[in-house]
Amino acid sequence: PPKRGEARRLLMILPMIGLPTRTAVLPIPPKQLFFLALLAFAGLGMLISGCGSSESGDEVARGAPSASDFPSAEGKTIEELLNDQTPSDKVVSPAAVVFEPGENRYPFGVFNVDRSQVQDADVAIYVAKSPQAPVEGPMPAEVVSLETKPAYRSKGAGGPGEANSFYLSHVKFDRNGPWLAIAILKTADGFEAARVTPSPVVGQYPDVAQVGQQAPKVSTPTAEDVGGDLSKIDTRQPPSSMHDDDFKDVVGKKPVVLIFATPALCQSRVCGPVVDVAEQVKDEVGDGVVFIHNEVYNENDPSKGIRPQLTAFGLQTEPWIFLINKDGTIEKRIEGAVGVDELKSDVEQLKKKNGL
């Protein structure tokens, strides 16, 4: 089996497969940050689609194991917990960078030293504020499917390089600042532990539009604006059906699901599936809710910078989804990958809160 040193060497070659290589403790320049959050998923195309291969697109690929299946953190520091387990040669890398105090979605990937994706692992996350602080955890992760029903799949969906699932845990942070994080994987022989790299920094990006705030009233391009040539405002093939309404005309009047994603230009290979997921959810439970898809780059050209709508929302990563109440307040925000079940539940809750 590979030795632990091989995992360290893998961290040096991770840029070859698009994985982040350093702890995000200091502010990162926008050009570097823009793809960092989801670069872990550049390798997800290697994930075998055996789990959650149903055409329904509605089911979780693998449910989260019980917290009782993992070692207790009571009375231990995070280093003690790490050292109590067999050192793992797996690389665990988060697929989000924007965290706030409270409970956070925590999507991530697990990789072997040969750069292949680990699927169907039983894994839990543990976090601590410092090496001496009490440990929070275990927080087990589920494996979430990105698949949709065939009618909602864009061209290239499920093909080479396209992500079809991801790990998702929910992690609680009680203060801003840098945290330490480890992952413990349950194996046939016991437990293995690995550091999560980069470790989370809470409150590092306060400019991202927050839950409870009024959504920035920006104008989004519509089919009418481009004379029906949707290729100018949508890189998906075929273009999504979410370009009928200008955000500034509906925000504050109707509930809105606003998706920032660039299916054809997304290096993470998550943006296409996320837009497919939104298409299915829109069709199945979206009555009364306005769905809007906004591309990421000016003129769909990465060399021309990000569109002003993303700047208005304070975004430096993608994809993002904002669920917005009819009074214009942000009800929920989702960074990174999301499956049909989760988004469908969120839209149904949005409708209920807004009397639909």
mmCIF file of all heavy atoms in Angstrom, residues 77-116:
data_model
loop_
_atom_site.group_PDB
_atom_site.id
_atom_site.type_symbol
_atom_site.label_atom_id
_atom_site.label_comp_id
_atom_site.label_asym_id
_atom_site.label_seq_id
_atom_site.Cartn_x
_atom_site.Cartn_y
_atom_site.Cartn_z
ATOM 1 N N THR A 77 -7.843 16.293 21.991
ATOM 2 C CA THR A 77 -7.532 17.361 21.051
ATOM 3 C C THR A 77 -7.599 16.782 19.642
ATOM 4 O O THR A 77 -7.614 15.562 19.446
ATOM 5 C CB THR A 77 -6.126 17.930 21.291
ATOM 6 O OG1 THR A 77 -5.155 16.924 20.967
ATOM 7 C CG2 THR A 77 -5.953 18.364 22.743
ATOM 8 N N ILE A 78 -7.596 17.661 18.665
ATOM 9 C CA ILE A 78 -7.706 17.177 17.296
ATOM 10 C C ILE A 78 -6.444 16.420 16.872
ATOM 11 O O ILE A 78 -6.511 15.464 16.098
ATOM 12 C CB ILE A 78 -8.029 18.344 16.336
ATOM 13 C CG1 ILE A 78 -8.640 17.804 15.044
ATOM 14 C CG2 ILE A 78 -6.808 19.222 16.079
ATOM 15 C CD1 ILE A 78 -9.409 18.828 14.246
ATOM 16 N N GLU A 79 -5.285 16.812 17.426
ATOM 17 C CA GLU A 79 -4.057 16.084 17.115
ATOM 18 C C GLU A 79 -4.081 14.696 17.738
ATOM 19 O O GLU A 79 -3.639 13.719 17.121
ATOM 20 C CB GLU A 79 -2.845 16.866 17.611
ATOM 21 C CG GLU A 79 -2.543 18.128 16.822
ATOM 22 C CD GLU A 79 -2.129 17.836 15.384
ATOM 23 O OE1 GLU A 79 -1.484 16.793 15.148
ATOM 24 O OE2 GLU A 79 -2.460 18.643 14.500
ATOM 25 N N GLU A 80 -4.596 14.585 18.957
ATOM 26 C CA GLU A 80 -4.706 13.269 19.597
ATOM 27 C C GLU A 80 -5.649 12.375 18.815
ATOM 28 O O GLU A 80 -5.370 11.184 18.608
ATOM 29 C CB GLU A 80 -5.188 13.434 21.043
ATOM 30 C CG GLU A 80 -4.163 14.051 21.970
ATOM 31 C CD GLU A 80 -4.733 14.393 23.331
ATOM 32 O OE1 GLU A 80 -5.976 14.535 23.451
ATOM 33 O OE2 GLU A 80 -3.938 14.536 24.276
ATOM 34 N N LEU A 81 -6.763 12.942 18.378
ATOM 35 C CA LEU A 81 -7.725 12.166 17.598
ATOM 36 C C LEU A 81 -7.100 11.706 16.284
ATOM 37 O O LEU A 81 -7.285 10.556 15.863
ATOM 38 C CB LEU A 81 -8.961 13.020 17.334
ATOM 39 C CG LEU A 81 -10.197 12.319 16.774
ATOM 40 C CD1 LEU A 81 -10.711 11.265 17.749
ATOM 41 C CD2 LEU A 81 -11.287 13.336 16.479
ATOM 42 N N LEU A 82 -6.345 12.589 15.650
ATOM 43 C CA LEU A 82 -5.664 12.243 14.408
ATOM 44 C C LEU A 82 -4.653 11.130 14.633
ATOM 45 O O LEU A 82 -4.592 10.154 13.878
ATOM 46 C CB LEU A 82 -4.971 13.488 13.848
ATOM 47 C CG LEU A 82 -4.186 13.332 12.550
ATOM 48 C CD1 LEU A 82 -5.145 13.108 11.377
ATOM 49 C CD2 LEU A 82 -3.334 14.567 12.285
ATOM 50 N N ASN A 83 -3.865 11.246 15.697
ATOM 51 C CA ASN A 83 -2.792 10.284 15.949
ATOM 52 C C ASN A 83 -3.292 8.953 16.486
ATOM 53 O O ASN A 83 -2.566 7.946 16.424
ATOM 54 C CB ASN A 83 -1.766 10.891 16.906
ATOM 55 C CG ASN A 83 -1.020 12.058 16.298
ATOM 56 O OD1 ASN A 83 -0.822 12.091 15.085
ATOM 57 N ND2 ASN A 83 -0.621 13.023 17.123
ATOM 58 N N ASP A 84 -4.524 8.931 17.002
ATOM 59 C CA ASP A 84 -5.097 7.670 17.490
ATOM 60 C C ASP A 84 -5.495 6.736 16.355
ATOM 61 O O ASP A 84 -5.720 5.547 16.580
ATOM 62 C CB ASP A 84 -6.337 7.943 18.359
ATOM 63 C CG ASP A 84 -5.971 8.425 19.753
ATOM 64 O OD1 ASP A 84 -4.783 8.335 20.118
ATOM 65 O OD2 ASP A 84 -6.879 8.901 20.463
ATOM 66 N N GLN A 85 -5.620 7.282 15.145
ATOM 67 C CA GLN A 85 -6.072 6.481 14.007
ATOM 68 C C GLN A 85 -4.871 6.124 13.120
ATOM 69 O O GLN A 85 -3.815 6.744 13.184
ATOM 70 C CB GLN A 85 -7.104 7.248 13.167
ATOM 71 C CG GLN A 85 -8.092 8.075 13.950
ATOM 72 C CD GLN A 85 -8.824 7.325 15.042
ATOM 73 O OE1 GLN A 85 -9.185 6.164 14.873
ATOM 74 N NE2 GLN A 85 -9.043 7.986 16.178
ATOM 75 N N THR A 86 -5.075 5.134 12.269
ATOM 76 C CA THR A 86 -4.054 4.797 11.281
ATOM 77 C C THR A 86 -3.907 5.962 10.306
ATOM 78 O O THR A 86 -4.910 6.468 9.806
ATOM 79 C CB THR A 86 -4.452 3.532 10.510
ATOM 80 O OG1 THR A 86 -4.604 2.453 11.430
ATOM 81 C CG2 THR A 86 -3.418 3.179 9.453
ATOM 82 N N PRO A 87 -2.675 6.403 10.018
ATOM 83 C CA PRO A 87 -2.510 7.488 9.038
ATOM 84 C C PRO A 87 -3.071 7.077 7.675
ATOM 85 O O PRO A 87 -2.818 5.972 7.199
ATOM 86 C CB PRO A 87 -0.992 7.682 8.979
ATOM 87 C CG PRO A 87 -0.485 7.126 10.267
ATOM 88 C CD PRO A 87 -1.399 5.984 10.601
ATOM 89 N N SER A 88 -3.844 7.957 7.078
ATOM 90 C CA SER A 88 -4.458 7.658 5.791
ATOM 91 C C SER A 88 -3.665 8.285 4.655
ATOM 92 O O SER A 88 -3.113 9.378 4.795
ATOM 93 C CB SER A 88 -5.890 8.191 5.745
ATOM 94 O OG SER A 88 -6.481 7.942 4.481
ATOM 95 N N ASP A 89 -3.595 7.569 3.552
ATOM 96 C CA ASP A 89 -2.976 8.118 2.346
ATOM 97 C C ASP A 89 -4.003 8.828 1.469
ATOM 98 O O ASP A 89 -3.659 9.273 0.370
ATOM 99 C CB ASP A 89 -2.296 7.005 1.554
ATOM 100 C CG ASP A 89 -1.040 6.515 2.246
ATOM 101 O OD1 ASP A 89 -0.065 7.282 2.320
ATOM 102 O OD2 ASP A 89 -1.053 5.374 2.740
ATOM 103 N N LYS A 90 -5.228 8.932 1.926
ATOM 104 C CA LYS A 90 -6.257 9.644 1.178
ATOM 105 C C LYS A 90 -6.050 11.148 1.314
ATOM 106 O O LYS A 90 -5.542 11.644 2.322
ATOM 107 C CB LYS A 90 -7.646 9.260 1.676
ATOM 108 C CG LYS A 90 -7.954 7.765 1.634
ATOM 109 C CD LYS A 90 -7.962 7.240 0.219
ATOM 110 C CE LYS A 90 -8.405 5.778 0.168
ATOM 111 N NZ LYS A 90 -7.433 4.850 0.760
ATOM 112 N N VAL A 91 -6.449 11.864 0.297
ATOM 113 C CA VAL A 91 -6.433 13.325 0.329
ATOM 114 C C VAL A 91 -7.882 13.797 0.376
ATOM 115 O O VAL A 91 -8.686 13.450 -0.489
ATOM 116 C CB VAL A 91 -5.725 13.905 -0.904
ATOM 117 C CG1 VAL A 91 -5.843 15.425 -0.927
ATOM 118 C CG2 VAL A 91 -4.263 13.485 -0.912
ATOM 119 N N VAL A 92 -8.209 14.559 1.400
ATOM 120 C CA VAL A 92 -9.564 15.077 1.585
ATOM 121 C C VAL A 92 -9.519 16.579 1.355
ATOM 122 O O VAL A 92 -8.788 17.300 2.037
ATOM 123 C CB VAL A 92 -10.099 14.748 2.991
ATOM 124 C CG1 VAL A 92 -11.509 15.306 3.168
ATOM 125 C CG2 VAL A 92 -10.072 13.248 3.232
ATOM 126 N N SER A 93 -10.296 17.054 0.377
ATOM 127 C CA SER A 93 -10.224 18.451 -0.015
ATOM 128 C C SER A 93 -11.620 19.053 -0.115
ATOM 129 O O SER A 93 -12.481 18.520 -0.813
ATOM 130 C CB SER A 93 -9.518 18.571 -1.367
ATOM 131 O OG SER A 93 -9.258 19.919 -1.679
ATOM 132 N N PRO A 94 -11.869 20.165 0.598
ATOM 133 C CA PRO A 94 -13.193 20.796 0.561
ATOM 134 C C PRO A 94 -13.473 21.425 -0.787
ATOM 135 O O PRO A 94 -12.561 21.791 -1.527
ATOM 136 C CB PRO A 94 -13.118 21.846 1.667
ATOM 137 C CG PRO A 94 -11.673 22.168 1.774
ATOM 138 C CD PRO A 94 -10.932 20.893 1.466
ATOM 139 N N ALA A 95 -14.737 21.578 -1.104
ATOM 140 C CA ALA A 95 -15.171 22.169 -2.363
ATOM 141 C C ALA A 95 -15.969 23.440 -2.118
ATOM 142 O O ALA A 95 -16.861 23.785 -2.872
ATOM 143 C CB ALA A 95 -15.991 21.170 -3.166
ATOM 144 N N ALA A 96 -15.643 24.132 -1.038
ATOM 145 C CA ALA A 96 -16.242 25.425 -0.732
ATOM 146 C C ALA A 96 -15.261 26.195 0.126
ATOM 147 O O ALA A 96 -14.413 25.593 0.807
ATOM 148 C CB ALA A 96 -17.582 25.254 -0.007
ATOM 149 N N VAL A 97 -15.344 27.511 0.102
ATOM 150 C CA VAL A 97 -14.453 28.336 0.917
ATOM 151 C C VAL A 97 -15.198 29.377 1.744
ATOM 152 O O VAL A 97 -14.602 30.008 2.611
ATOM 153 C CB VAL A 97 -13.402 29.057 0.042
ATOM 154 C CG1 VAL A 97 -12.480 28.075 -0.626
ATOM 155 C CG2 VAL A 97 -14.061 29.971 -0.981
ATOM 156 N N VAL A 98 -16.470 29.561 1.496
ATOM 157 C CA VAL A 98 -17.225 30.606 2.198
ATOM 158 C C VAL A 98 -17.997 29.969 3.345
ATOM 159 O O VAL A 98 -18.956 29.223 3.130
ATOM 160 C CB VAL A 98 -18.182 31.345 1.241
ATOM 161 C CG1 VAL A 98 -18.977 32.411 1.998
ATOM 162 C CG2 VAL A 98 -17.392 31.985 0.104
ATOM 163 N N PHE A 99 -17.554 30.260 4.571
ATOM 164 C CA PHE A 99 -18.182 29.712 5.770
ATOM 165 C C PHE A 99 -18.493 30.841 6.750
ATOM 166 O O PHE A 99 -17.757 31.827 6.828
ATOM 167 C CB PHE A 99 -17.264 28.690 6.452
ATOM 168 C CG PHE A 99 -16.843 27.559 5.552
ATOM 169 C CD1 PHE A 99 -15.527 27.446 5.135
ATOM 170 C CD2 PHE A 99 -17.753 26.615 5.107
ATOM 171 C CE1 PHE A 99 -15.126 26.408 4.305
ATOM 172 C CE2 PHE A 99 -17.371 25.577 4.273
ATOM 173 C CZ PHE A 99 -16.044 25.482 3.872
ATOM 174 N N GLU A 100 -19.589 30.676 7.490
ATOM 175 C CA GLU A 100 -20.015 31.655 8.485
ATOM 176 C C GLU A 100 -20.262 30.941 9.810
ATOM 177 O O GLU A 100 -20.464 29.720 9.843
ATOM 178 C CB GLU A 100 -21.311 32.336 8.027
ATOM 179 C CG GLU A 100 -21.199 33.078 6.699
ATOM 180 C CD GLU A 100 -20.265 34.265 6.749
ATOM 181 O OE1 GLU A 100 -20.075 34.803 7.862
ATOM 182 O OE2 GLU A 100 -19.723 34.650 5.702
ATOM 183 N N PRO A 101 -20.243 31.681 10.940
ATOM 184 C CA PRO A 101 -20.585 31.050 12.217
ATOM 185 C C PRO A 101 -21.966 30.401 12.154
ATOM 186 O O PRO A 101 -22.894 30.947 11.550
ATOM 187 C CB PRO A 101 -20.560 32.221 13.205
ATOM 188 C CG PRO A 101 -19.585 33.191 12.597
ATOM 189 C CD PRO A 101 -19.827 33.093 11.116
ATOM 190 N N GLY A 102 -22.095 29.234 12.747
ATOM 191 C CA GLY A 102 -23.324 28.459 12.683
ATOM 192 C C GLY A 102 -23.108 27.203 11.867
ATOM 193 O O GLY A 102 -21.970 26.776 11.632
ATOM 194 N N GLU A 103 -24.203 26.581 11.429
ATOM 195 C CA GLU A 103 -24.099 25.356 10.638
ATOM 196 C C GLU A 103 -23.867 25.690 9.167
ATOM 197 O O GLU A 103 -24.530 26.556 8.609
ATOM 198 C CB GLU A 103 -25.355 24.505 10.790
ATOM 199 C CG GLU A 103 -25.249 23.169 10.063
ATOM 200 C CD GLU A 103 -26.403 22.231 10.376
ATOM 201 O OE1 GLU A 103 -26.416 21.675 11.499
ATOM 202 O OE2 GLU A 103 -27.278 22.065 9.523
ATOM 203 N N ASN A 104 -22.930 24.992 8.562
ATOM 204 C CA ASN A 104 -22.561 25.222 7.171
ATOM 205 C C ASN A 104 -22.607 23.925 6.374
ATOM 206 O O ASN A 104 -22.231 22.865 6.880
ATOM 207 C CB ASN A 104 -21.135 25.769 7.085
ATOM 208 C CG ASN A 104 -20.983 27.166 7.631
ATOM 209 O OD1 ASN A 104 -20.873 28.130 6.893
ATOM 210 N ND2 ASN A 104 -20.950 27.295 8.954
ATOM 211 N N ARG A 105 -23.057 24.029 5.113
ATOM 212 C CA ARG A 105 -22.853 22.929 4.176
ATOM 213 C C ARG A 105 -21.353 22.780 3.972
ATOM 214 O O ARG A 105 -20.629 23.765 3.823
ATOM 215 C CB ARG A 105 -23.496 23.215 2.823
ATOM 216 C CG ARG A 105 -24.970 23.324 2.793
ATOM 217 C CD ARG A 105 -25.469 23.684 1.393
ATOM 218 N NE ARG A 105 -25.516 22.522 0.487
ATOM 219 C CZ ARG A 105 -24.672 22.319 -0.504
ATOM 220 N NH1 ARG A 105 -23.680 23.157 -0.741
ATOM 221 N NH2 ARG A 105 -24.806 21.264 -1.289
ATOM 222 N N TYR A 106 -20.885 21.526 3.912
ATOM 223 C CA TYR A 106 -19.456 21.301 3.761
ATOM 224 C C TYR A 106 -19.238 20.224 2.702
ATOM 225 O O TYR A 106 -19.087 19.043 2.996
ATOM 226 C CB TYR A 106 -18.846 20.870 5.098
ATOM 227 C CG TYR A 106 -17.345 21.020 5.165
ATOM 228 C CD1 TYR A 106 -16.765 22.251 5.446
ATOM 229 C CD2 TYR A 106 -16.504 19.932 4.941
ATOM 230 C CE1 TYR A 106 -15.393 22.394 5.513
ATOM 231 C CE2 TYR A 106 -15.126 20.068 5.004
ATOM 232 C CZ TYR A 106 -14.575 21.306 5.300
ATOM 233 O OH TYR A 106 -13.210 21.448 5.355
ATOM 234 N N PRO A 107 -19.246 20.624 1.411
ATOM 235 C CA PRO A 107 -19.001 19.658 0.344
ATOM 236 C C PRO A 107 -17.512 19.393 0.193
ATOM 237 O O PRO A 107 -16.686 20.290 0.377
ATOM 238 C CB PRO A 107 -19.570 20.365 -0.889
ATOM 239 C CG PRO A 107 -19.389 21.822 -0.593
ATOM 240 C CD PRO A 107 -19.538 21.974 0.900
ATOM 241 N N PHE A 108 -17.153 18.151 -0.147
ATOM 242 C CA PHE A 108 -15.736 17.844 -0.303
ATOM 243 C C PHE A 108 -15.553 16.606 -1.169
ATOM 244 O O PHE A 108 -16.492 15.884 -1.488
ATOM 245 C CB PHE A 108 -15.061 17.667 1.066
ATOM 246 C CG PHE A 108 -15.585 16.524 1.898
ATOM 247 C CD1 PHE A 108 -14.986 15.266 1.867
ATOM 248 C CD2 PHE A 108 -16.680 16.702 2.737
ATOM 249 C CE1 PHE A 108 -15.462 14.223 2.648
ATOM 250 C CE2 PHE A 108 -17.162 15.666 3.519
ATOM 251 C CZ PHE A 108 -16.556 14.414 3.466
ATOM 252 N N GLY A 109 -14.291 16.373 -1.542
ATOM 253 C CA GLY A 109 -13.925 15.187 -2.296
ATOM 254 C C GLY A 109 -12.861 14.404 -1.552
ATOM 255 O O GLY A 109 -12.123 14.956 -0.726
ATOM 256 N N VAL A 110 -12.768 13.104 -1.833
ATOM 257 C CA VAL A 110 -11.742 12.232 -1.252
ATOM 258 C C VAL A 110 -11.005 11.565 -2.411
ATOM 259 O O VAL A 110 -11.633 11.000 -3.304
ATOM 260 C CB VAL A 110 -12.366 11.168 -0.329
ATOM 261 C CG1 VAL A 110 -11.267 10.296 0.299
ATOM 262 C CG2 VAL A 110 -13.210 11.819 0.768
ATOM 263 N N PHE A 111 -9.663 11.618 -2.366
ATOM 264 C CA PHE A 111 -8.858 11.153 -3.486
ATOM 265 C C PHE A 111 -7.773 10.181 -3.036
ATOM 266 O O PHE A 111 -7.220 10.312 -1.939
ATOM 267 C CB PHE A 111 -8.204 12.344 -4.198
ATOM 268 C CG PHE A 111 -9.189 13.305 -4.786
ATOM 269 C CD1 PHE A 111 -9.727 14.323 -4.008
ATOM 270 C CD2 PHE A 111 -9.608 13.193 -6.097
ATOM 271 C CE1 PHE A 111 -10.650 15.209 -4.533
ATOM 272 C CE2 PHE A 111 -10.540 14.071 -6.630
ATOM 273 C CZ PHE A 111 -11.056 15.080 -5.852
ATOM 274 N N ASN A 112 -7.461 9.227 -3.901
ATOM 275 C CA ASN A 112 -6.333 8.327 -3.703
ATOM 276 C C ASN A 112 -5.042 8.987 -4.171
ATOM 277 O O ASN A 112 -5.065 9.997 -4.871
ATOM 278 C CB ASN A 112 -6.547 7.030 -4.492
ATOM 279 C CG ASN A 112 -7.656 6.175 -3.915
ATOM 280 O OD1 ASN A 112 -7.663 5.862 -2.727
ATOM 281 N ND2 ASN A 112 -8.597 5.783 -4.760
ATOM 282 N N VAL A 113 -3.917 8.356 -3.818
ATOM 283 C CA VAL A 113 -2.637 8.914 -4.235
ATOM 284 C C VAL A 113 -2.441 8.810 -5.743
ATOM 285 O O VAL A 113 -1.603 9.516 -6.312
ATOM 286 C CB VAL A 113 -1.467 8.225 -3.503
ATOM 287 C CG1 VAL A 113 -1.490 8.553 -2.036
ATOM 288 C CG2 VAL A 113 -1.474 6.721 -3.738
ATOM 289 N N ASP A 114 -3.188 7.935 -6.411
ATOM 290 C CA ASP A 114 -3.083 7.857 -7.873
ATOM 291 C C ASP A 114 -4.015 8.852 -8.561
ATOM 292 O O ASP A 114 -4.231 8.784 -9.758
ATOM 293 C CB ASP A 114 -3.357 6.435 -8.363
ATOM 294 C CG ASP A 114 -4.793 5.986 -8.102
ATOM 295 O OD1 ASP A 114 -5.575 6.784 -7.536
ATOM 296 O OD2 ASP A 114 -5.129 4.843 -8.461
ATOM 297 N N ARG A 115 -4.603 9.765 -7.754
ATOM 298 C CA ARG A 115 -5.461 10.856 -8.220
ATOM 299 C C ARG A 115 -6.883 10.402 -8.529
ATOM 300 O O ARG A 115 -7.692 11.196 -8.978
ATOM 301 C CB ARG A 115 -4.869 11.556 -9.456
ATOM 302 C CG ARG A 115 -3.420 11.954 -9.320
ATOM 303 C CD ARG A 115 -2.924 12.573 -10.615
ATOM 304 N NE ARG A 115 -1.490 12.414 -10.745
ATOM 305 C CZ ARG A 115 -0.821 12.705 -11.845
ATOM 306 N NH1 ARG A 115 -1.463 13.159 -12.911
ATOM 307 N NH2 ARG A 115 0.472 12.545 -11.909
ATOM 308 N N SER A 116 -7.181 9.142 -8.327
ATOM 309 C CA SER A 116 -8.549 8.675 -8.578
ATOM 310 C C SER A 116 -9.455 9.058 -7.418
ATOM 311 O O SER A 116 -9.015 9.190 -6.270
ATOM 312 C CB SER A 116 -8.580 7.157 -8.782
ATOM 313 O OG SER A 116 -8.107 6.488 -7.627
#
